[in-house]
Amino acid sequence: MIALEKFLEPIELANMPLSEIHRAYRMDGNSPQPDMRKDAGLGTCACCDYFVTNNDSVFLIEETQLLKSIKRWKREVQYLNDNDQKNFVDEKVKTENCLKVYGSLLVLARLMNKFPEIKNLVGEKKYCFWLVVSGLSTPEDRRYIDNLKDSQLDA
């Protein structure tokens, strides 16, 4: 039997752990941390950082320093005009996070298939995705992410 407790740990934001009471199941551990993907019989597929549950929901949590990624992606396509760069970044953010959600769902489905007792924790519940953006240091950074969030929700 798999012990999900080995994946339970304090949630980290920008590489800093929150208090002990804010705990979640880590999905994408890197050695020496346990890796839920391996216990599910998968390789290093894209998946969210954590999940937590309550009585009716499973929350998939992806913590990211999104602004750093966006700057890197913009450098990759700096030859495009501003509007095309924005469209590229918007699509990249959406695609990357969809892959992480789908990968997380696959990990949980495989674990439920392998270890039926996990159904009590994650089966037949509503799933929610939380994208937690850290590393925002200026009001301009926060406005940029707010505008990006609005464009992602409209899509």
Side-chain angles (χ1 to χ4, degrees), residues 74-113:
K74 281 187 172 185
R75 280 193 307 272
E76 290 174 10
V77 293
Q78 62 186 350
Y79 56 87
L80 296 175
N81 66 46
D82 289 346
N83 190 49
D84 289 342
Q85 283 183 21
K86 180 191 178 316
N87 291 339
F88 175 83
V89 166
D90 287 354
E91 192 59 35
K92 188 82 167 168
V93 170
K94 190 182 328 173
T95 301
E96 293 278 322
N97 288 298
C98 282
L99 284 173
K100 289 182 184 236
V101 169
Y102 291 143
S104 299
L105 295 174
L106 177 60
V107 168
L108 293 175
R110 294 281 299 264
L111 288 175
M112 282 191 291
N113 189 45

Side-chain angles (χ1 to χ4, degrees), residues 21-143:
I21 62 169
H22 296 73
R23 297 167 58 91
Y25 296 97
R26 176 170 282 287
M27 298 189 79
D28 69 348
N30 296 314
S31 188
Q33 295 172 308
D35 190 339
M36 195 178 287
R37 298 169 295 187
K38 288 182 181 167
D39 283 16
L42 299 167
T44 57
C45 66
C47 71
C48 295
D49 296 316
Y50 303 99
F51 80 88
V52 294
T53 65
N54 65 16
N55 290 336
D56 10 284
S57 301
V58 175
F59 302 91
L60 301 172
I61 304 169
E62 176 61 21
E63 187 271 332
T64 180
Q65 292 190 10
L66 187 58
L67 217 45
K68 285 183 179 180
S69 296
I70 287 171
K71 288 175 182 177
R72 186 180 72 251
W73 295 329
K74 281 187 172 185
R75 280 193 307 272
E76 290 174 10
V77 293
Q78 62 186 350
Y79 56 87
L80 296 175
N81 66 46
D82 289 346
N83 190 49
D84 289 342
Q85 283 183 21
K86 180 191 178 316
N87 291 339
F88 175 83
V89 166
D90 287 354
E91 192 59 35
K92 188 82 167 168
V93 170
K94 190 182 328 173
T95 301
E96 293 278 322
N97 288 298
C98 282
L99 284 173
K100 289 182 184 236
V101 169
Y102 291 143
S104 299
L105 295 174
L106 177 60
V107 168
L108 293 175
R110 294 281 299 264
L111 288 175
M112 282 191 291
N113 189 45
K114 238 173 138 175
F115 308 100
E117 63 275 11
I118 292 176
K119 278 188 180 178
N120 295 331
L121 184 64
V122 298
E124 298 185 29
K125 293 185 178 184
K126 177 176 78 169
Y127 282 75
C128 304
F129 175 63
W130 289 352
L131 181 64
V132 179
V133 179
S134 59
L136 303 179
S137 55
T138 67
E140 292 80 22
D141 290 349
R142 288 187 274 289
R143 272 193 299 279

